[in-house]
Every structure is written in structure tokens, then in C-alpha cells.
């Protein structure tokens, strides 16, 4: 369109900010409304009383994230990505090196080989986790995915990882040694529940792109180091981001289209086009009843549910023996962990370690007390750091800790979910969706969220909606000065907010 559209976007996570950013670059005027006082959604972070950051998750940026990598380049902040050695490193439970520390098994990808050869060599050179017969059987099992491509990968959504392994004749030990850890890292659930499409999608990217599995940490807290630059550009392009502005309900015109977003406090946000980039569980609560009754597009959302996630930060009184990398714990309770005092520039501490750990699966633990979760975590850390950490605190001393619970995080990618995932364009003429749960090939990930925002912006631009169809601004709401907070000073709300 020649004239800019006024677009109201709900949610200042990566999906909502991405939608607004690309709309603003196309010359439109998006305004993002965020319920909380902190940017980032599922990558939100807060400062404690000592000024130390704690985050909702251990966020890893893969080389196989093309839209995310492009975004960093477009924002001029590529130097904020701290890439680590091209390796995947697994703890070997119960095994210690000559110094009594935890042994690790590495899959090192040679820099001098292109994909997929670098990945094949990495797998072939590691003989600690898988035997040669196991590697061969797994390789044969993967042949259909390699030969038939994406159509085959998509069809496997009806099988769990464990079911696919059995069907393809892959030994159970391959599942036990590698894919329990991988499943928990990809979607915080076990391979008995995770869709095989998720694993095949990741393997496809890792094996097809030379740097696909190379990992980077952000050099600081995501709200400040990634989200704030997005907000700055949105505002520079004529858009805005409004914090602490929570949706009450979506009001409809007689034809079922959106009349306004009615906010808590009574104000009405009117626009030419409306976008929800809220989590799927919030969107389900806020979906108008007539939409659910008339459109399977909306009733299908009931088949998508967020997975519970617990992220734990532990600050110790001394430096632990760790690796400057993401580590797969292969623990029954913990998924992945990292010593953020090594991996993240802003959190660097040469004298004391700061471990960040993902507790998964978290379903049975999400309602337990922080004290119970921390006690179980220390038991596991005693196994991972046998010479340095004891559950009774007789070795390294815990200075402080934070348990961050997200009862409903990214959508739970169990088998058969893909057919329920919505496109970004809804059957409602002026309403659109963004979020990692919407249909895009990167599934429940930061890349998926950013890509969904780009796709959503594209759909809005191509919608044919006439600009000026609705009055702009907040009708009936008090005009207030809004200050963008990159990171809240206080701990944010952990549960899904409605």
C-alpha cells in the first residue's frame, strides 16, 4: 500500500518485535503492546538485588538460524554473538578424568571440511558414546530422510522419536546415549513424547549447513542486547512499543472482524490490522467465542499447549572445572548447562562460577518449591562435579541461586501437533498471528519466533487492507508517558498472563 497501515501487535517477545520491525521497514506504523514491564517474552531476563542477571532459559544461537543471523547483521550487532568451538559436548555420567573431574565426550566438527562431511567425520571419530554397528544402523535409518527430503521429514510428525527409532531398526542405546539429551534440549521433553520431525529438522540443518550446529551465546541479557535494538529501530521508523499494557479482550465488528483490542483499564486500541504475538496458551484464552465456533483455525489451537520449563541459576564461591561451551548433562533431571562466567562476556567472572541449568522434563517439578528443586539440582551437580560439588555443601559453597519457572513455555512438540499449527494469516480479514507455534519450518525456537514475525509482516503487507479504515491510537484511554524497560528491576511474572 502507498499509505502506511496502523498495526496493533500484542506481545514484545521475539515474534512480536520481529513482526513490528519488518512492518516498520516496509513503511507501516506498528505499535507493540506488552503486558509486562520487560522485553523478550520467553527470552526475558531480570536483575537481582546485586545487579546480576537471571534469565528464563539458556538461550543458544545456532549457525543454522538464517533469519536470526540476518537480524543480527541488519541491526549491526553481530559482534554480540560469542561463537564457541564447533563441537557438541556430552557429559559421561559416573566417569572421571585423571584429576577426578567429570569426563566429557566430544563431537568435534573439522573446520576444513564442508557439510555434510564435517558432521559425518565428527560422528565417526567419536567412539565413546556409540559403537560402529550402532553408527551404521543409525545411518541406514536416516537414509529415507536424506533421500526423500522435507516431505519425509514432515510425515514423521506422526511418530515420536522412540517410535521412529524402533521402526527404523535403530538400537535402543542410540536413543539412550544421544537422543534423550537431544530431545530435552530441543523441546524439554523425552524422546518417548517428542515428534521425530523436530529431531530430523535439526539434523537436516546441522548436516546440510557447514556451520549449522555451531553454537553462540549472546554477550549479555537478551532484553538489552537483542530486544532493545529492535525496539530502537521500530521507534526510529515511526512505530512504538508500549510496556505494561495488558489485553482484556478482543472486541468484534458485526462481520466478525476485529473492532478493537480492549485493554485492561478500559482503553480501546484501534488499528487497520491486528496481530497477536502472545503465547499460544494466552491466545487460546483470549480467542473470541464466535471465532472458535466458526473456524477450526482457532479451535485447533486447543491442541497446542506450552511445555513447562524450569531454568536455574547457581552462583558459587569458587571457580569450577568447566568448558567454555554448552554442555549436555545426560542427567535424568537436567538437560543442558553452561558456566556463564566463562561463556558470556557480561557475566564473566574469573574467580567464581555462575552455572545456568535447564531442569527438564519439568512437568512433575513445576509445582514443587524452589528449595526442593534446588536440592535435586545439587544432587545432580554432585554427580557432574564429583571433586568440586557436594549436595551437602561441604565443597563449593552456593552464594545464591534463582529458580525461574515458566509453567507454559514454547508449544509442546509431541507427535501429531503440526497439523494443528496455524498459518500467520487467519480467516479473519484484519487479524494475524505470529509466534513459534505458528506454521514455519523452525518449530519451537528463537529462530521460529523471528521467522514467524517476518512471515506475519509479509501477510499483513499483502492483505489488501485499506489504510485509515480505523481510528488510530487508544480511544478512551488516558495518555501516559511510557518508558521502555529492557530488563525489569524486579522479577517478572512466571506464569502465562491473561
Amino acid at each position: 500500500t502507498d499509505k502506511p497501515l496502523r498495526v496493533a501487535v500484542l506481545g514484545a517477545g521475539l515474534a512480536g518485535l520481529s513482526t513490528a520491525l519488518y512492518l516498520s521497514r516496509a513503511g507501516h506504523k506498528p505499535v507493540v503492546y506488552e503486558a509486562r514491564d520487560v522485553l523478550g517474552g520467553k527470552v526475558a531476563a531480570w536483575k537481582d538485588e546485586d545487579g546480576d542477571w537471571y534469565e528464563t532459559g539458556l538461550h543458544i544461537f545456532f549457525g543454522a538460524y538464517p533469519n536470526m543471523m540476518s537480524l543480527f547483521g541488519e541491526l549491526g550487532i553481530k559482534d554480540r554473538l560469542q561463537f564457541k568451538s564447533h563441537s557438541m559436548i556430552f557429559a559421561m555420567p559416573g566417569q572421571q578424568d585423571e584429576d577426578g573431574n567429570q569426563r566429557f565426550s566430544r563431537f568435534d566438527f573439522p573446520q576444513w571440511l564442508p557439510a555434510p562431511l564435517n558432521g559425518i567425520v565428527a560422528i565417526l571419530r567419536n567412539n565413546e558414546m556409540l559403537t560402529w554397528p550402532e553408527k551404521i544402523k543409525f545411518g541406514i535409518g536416516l537414509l529415507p530422510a536424506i533421500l526423500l527430503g522435507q516431505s519425509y521429514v514432515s510425515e514423521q510428525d506422526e511418530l515420536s522419536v522412540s517410535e521412529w527409532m524402533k521402526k527404523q531398526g535403530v538400537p535402543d542405546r542410540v536413543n539412550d546415549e544421544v537422543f534423550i539429551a537431544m530431545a530435552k534440549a530441543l523441546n524439554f521433553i523425552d524422546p518417548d513424547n517428542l515428534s521425530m520431525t523436530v529431531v530430523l529438522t535439526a539434523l537436516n540443518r546441522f548436516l546440510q549447513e557447514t556451520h549449522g550446529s555451531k553454537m553462540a551465546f549472546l554477550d549479555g541479557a537478551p532484553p538489552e542486547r537483542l530486544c532493545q535494538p529492535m525496539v530502537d529501530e521500530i521507534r526510529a521508523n515511526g512505530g512504538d512499543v508500549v510496556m505494561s499494557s495488558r489485553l482484556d479482550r478482543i472486541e468484534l465488528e458485526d462481520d466478525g472482524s476485529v473492532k478493537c483490542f480492549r485493554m485492561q483499564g478500559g482503553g480501546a486500541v484501534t488499528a487497520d490490522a491486528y496481530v497477536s504475538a502472545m503465547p499460544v496458551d494466552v491466545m487460546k484464552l483470549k480467542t473470541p467465542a464466535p471465532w472458535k465456533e466458526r473456524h477450526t483455525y482457532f479451535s485447533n489451537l486447543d491442541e497446542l499447549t506450552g511445555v513447562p520449563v524450569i531454568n536455574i541459576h547457581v552462583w558459587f564461591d569458587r571457580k569450577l572445572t568447566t568448558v567454555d561451551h554448552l554442555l549436555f548433562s545426560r542427567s535424568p533431571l537436567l538437560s543442558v548447562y553452561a558456566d556463564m562466567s566463562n561463556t558470556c562476556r557480561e557475566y564473566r567472572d574469573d574467580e567464581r562460577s555462575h552455572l545456568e541449568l535447564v531442569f527438564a522434563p519439568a512437568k512433575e517439578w513445576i509445582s514443587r518449591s524452589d528449595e526442593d528443586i534446588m536440592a535435586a539440582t545439587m544432587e545432580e551437580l554432585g554427580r557432574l562435579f564429583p571433586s568440586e560439588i557436594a549436595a551437602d555443601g561441604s565443597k563449593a559453597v552456593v552464594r545464591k541461586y534463582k529458580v525461574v519457572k515458566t509453567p507454559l513455555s514454547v508449544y509442546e512438540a509431541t507427535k501429531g501437533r503440526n497439523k494443528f499449527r496455524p498459518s500467520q494469516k487467519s480467516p479473519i480479514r484484519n487479524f494475524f498471528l505470529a509466534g513459534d507455534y505458528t506454521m514455519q519450518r523452525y518449530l519451537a525456537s528463537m529462530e521460529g519466533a523471528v521467522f514467524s514475525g517476518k512471515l506475519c509482516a509479509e501477510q499483513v503487507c499483502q492483505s489488501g487492507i485499506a489504510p485509515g479504515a480505523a481510528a488510530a491510537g487508544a480511544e478512551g484511554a488516558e495518555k501516559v508517558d511510557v518508558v521502555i524497560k529492557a530488563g525489569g528491576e524486579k522479577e517478572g511474572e512466571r506464569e502465562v498472563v491473561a
Side-chain angles (χ1 to χ4, degrees), residues 32-155:
V32 181
Y33 297 88
E34 168 55 43
R36 302 190 292 183
D37 69 345
V38 56
L39 296 169
K42 298 182 188 74
V43 299
W46 298 265
K47 277 187 176 180
D48 69 9
E49 58 277 7
D50 301 319
D52 292 321
W53 287 98
Y54 57 101
E55 305 179 11
T56 50
L58 184 47
H59 308 297
I60 300 299
F61 298 80
F62 285 97
Y65 284 178
N67 296 283
M68 183 68 82
M69 294 301 118
S70 294
L71 178 62
F72 272 89
E74 294 160 6
L75 294 170
I77 57 172
K78 265 193 171 179
D79 61 335
R80 298 183 183 184
L81 287 171
Q82 295 181 254
F83 277 96
K84 306 306 176 184
S85 65
H86 196 172
S87 308
M88 299 186 80
I89 307 174
F90 293 77
M92 301 294 284
Q95 298 185 30
Q96 300 174 18
D97 62 19
E98 59 273 13
D99 298 319
N101 297 317
Q102 172 68 59
R103 280 192 69 244
F104 296 98
S105 183
R106 301 176 63 106
F107 291 86
D108 292 315
F109 294 69
Q111 294 183 24
W112 40 272
L113 280 176
L117 296 177
N118 61 346
I120 293 170
V121 169
I123 294 169
L124 294 180
R125 289 198 305 195
N126 183 307
N127 294 312
E128 294 179 301
M129 293 179 67
L130 299 178
T131 65
W132 275 94
E134 288 166 344
K135 292 176 190 178
I136 291 169
K137 287 181 180 177
F138 179 52
I140 292 171
L142 282 177
L143 281 177
I146 296 169
L147 297 174
L148 301 176
Q150 187 58 44
S151 61
Y152 175 85
V153 171
S154 299
E155 289 168 3

